Amino acid sequence: MDLCELEKSSEISLQEVASADTAQALEALRVKYLGRNGLIPAIIKSMKDVPKEERPAFGKAVQAWKASFEEALQAKIASSTKENHVECDLTQPGMWYEPGIKHPLSRVIEETAEIFGKLGFTVADGPELENKFNNFTALNTPPHHPSMDRSDTFWFGDDCLLRTQTSPVQIRAMMSAKPPIRIICPGRTYRRDTTDATHSANFHQIEGLYVDNLPKKPVSLADLKSVLAYFAREMMGDSVKVRFRPHFFPFTEPSVEVDFSCHVCKGSGCRVCKDSGWIEVAGAGMVDPRVFKHVGYDPSAVSGYAFGFGVERIAMIKYGIPDIRWLYENDIRFLRQLG
Ligand code: DAH
């Protein structure tokens, strides 16, 4: 090794110390350069082979390398042990995690379950991935119905889809039990909508179903109306009015759409209710005899009503939220205001 090579090795060794970041790595470098079989002792041993006239300069350079390497190594060991030392001051105040708030959609769902719970309804559950029979056929949806189109529903093959409504849970409930049945089912639903202020491809509904045995326990449209009016008052306050409008759904006959009086203008007309004084919140009706047939019930032995609420709708009315997207953005500044 000549003087030039020595300089190079010295430089490399110092770089290695600088980039070593663990105690093990530093120890390995100490062994490599200073250990019994290390590079620096080996060079010192081989000094006798260096030409006499070069020896003093070479010796000086080796000693200088050894000194600077040791110094760099010690400094690095000292600083890394300092970094790894965790200060623990027990007099410091603890970490403060601010309590969050329940999401408005969860609040509406939980309140709904509580309100219907008082009326004897239990909460049922169903999968978001449904088959065609439960989501459409058993609900008396004709094959040409637009909702069955590929462009309206998320299909996976011919018989598997993301449920477009919570109504298939009605089918599951009736196929797995005999009347009386009193259930609500909150959950996610999916449609191929483009997102804007009032639409989202994924939204939430709360389905309701009450079926009982004839002739002892006939269920009527008046029962449906009184239950939904009770729900409206509990959810929105005593001043809310409820309106039924004739409508069509394949799985109910007669069918209605349910409006709540606008909470903002109290019915006199404003931007939120588009000057009508009313806001549509649900579809409902008397369960169609064909649906009873599909689930294996005798339509002359039972009667019942069903309804389906839009959770986002109710949350937007209840908390005065003008844009559905705010419900999904998880913006803490928005959510805190509802706390
Ligand atoms: N499934 C309907 C929809 O998504 C809502 C609905 C209407 C549910 C009438 C019902 C009902 O249970 O009886 O638009």
Side-chain angles (χ1 to χ4, degrees), residues 164-167 170 191 203 205 207-208 249 251-252 255-256 282-286 305-309:
T164 60
Q165 48 193 356
T166 42
S167 305
Q170 291 183 29
R191 290 184 198 173
F203 55 105
Q205 289 188 334
E207 196 74 13
F249 294 104
F251 33 92
T252 41
S255 301
V256 294
M286 302 307 295
Y305 60 69
F307 55 84
F309 279 99

Side-chain angles (χ1 to χ4, degrees), residues 2-278:
D2 62 18
L3 214 51
C4 189
E5 288 166 337
L6 190 84
E7 285 294 324
K8 193 127 211 169
S9 301
S10 155
E11 223 170 82
I12 291 172
S13 72
L14 293 178
Q15 274 168 9
E16 284 180 329
V17 171
S19 55
D21 48 11
T22 62
Q24 288 97 313
L26 290 169
E27 174 58 12
L29 289 174
R30 189 194 64 77
V31 172
K32 177 177 172 187
Y33 288 101
L34 301 174
R36 211 148 23 103
N37 299 315
L39 191 56
I40 295 176
I43 291 171
I44 292 172
K45 244 184 248 158
S46 68
M47 287 270 287
K48 54 183 185 324
D49 304 327
V50 177
K52 228 180 180 170
E53 57 283 8
E54 285 174 26
R55 217 173 279 163
F58 195 86
K60 238 184 182 171
V62 179
Q63 287 310 328
W65 175 15
K66 188 168 179 235
S68 58
F69 181 81
E70 276 171 344
E71 196 186 328
L73 194 67
Q74 283 314 318
K76 189 75 193 242
I77 289 170
S79 76
S80 75
T81 40
K82 207 188 221 167
E83 271 165 29
N84 290 335
H85 179 66
V86 179
E87 294 267 335
C88 180
D89 180 354
L90 296 178
T91 64
Q92 289 277 323
M95 286 240 243
W96 171 244
Y97 295 102
E98 268 190 79
I101 67 141
K102 222 167 238 172
H103 194 279
L105 295 177
S106 303
R107 281 156 75 181
V108 168
I109 288 171
E110 283 173 21
E111 260 181 63
T112 304
E114 211 172 288
I115 296 165
F116 280 100
K118 287 191 254 178
L119 299 173
F121 286 73
T122 54
V123 175
D125 199 13
E128 290 168 33
L129 211 52
E130 260 298 0
N131 59 44
K132 191 171 161 184
F133 179 79
N134 288 340
N135 195 86
F136 291 124
T137 315
L139 289 162
N140 193 34
T141 315
H144 57 266
H145 195 277
S147 63
M148 287 170 89
D149 199 275
R150 306 252 137 208
S151 62
D152 280 339
T153 296
F154 294 104
W155 286 92
F156 301 89
D158 291 332
D159 192 36
C160 185
L161 54 103
L162 285 174
R163 67 179 176 194
T164 60
Q165 48 193 356
T166 42
S167 305
V169 186
Q170 291 183 29
I171 304 303
R172 289 177 176 272
M174 287 191 278
M175 288 181 79
S176 61
K178 293 263 167 275
I181 292 177
R182 255 195 210 86
I183 53 147
I184 63 159
C185 166
R188 284 174 186 273
T189 50
Y190 302 84
R191 290 184 198 173
R192 293 188 70 161
D193 268 333
T194 19
T195 306
D196 62 20
T198 53
H199 292 88
S200 163
N202 166 215
F203 55 105
H204 299 74
Q205 289 188 334
I206 300 174
E207 196 74 13
L209 176 72
Y210 170 42
V211 182
D212 218 328
N213 294 303
L214 292 171
K216 265 196 161 166
K217 295 273 176 81
V219 183
S220 74
L221 197 68
D223 296 331
L224 171 65
K225 196 164 182 187
S226 67
V227 161
L228 294 188
Y230 171 73
F231 168 72
R233 282 196 304 275
E234 290 283 298
M235 183 58 96
M236 298 294 177
D238 281 341
S239 61
V240 70
K241 292 195 188 66
V242 181
R243 175 172 90 166
F244 277 19
R245 276 180 294 109
H247 197 73
F248 174 79
F249 294 104
F251 33 92
T252 41
E253 185 57 37
S255 301
V256 294
E257 275 194 324
V258 184
D259 297 341
F260 285 178
S261 56
C262 179
H263 70 298
V264 176
C265 62
K266 306 278 178 254
S268 62
C270 69
R271 213 166 49 117
V272 175
C273 59
K274 298 194 183 87
D275 276 332
S276 71
W278 298 94

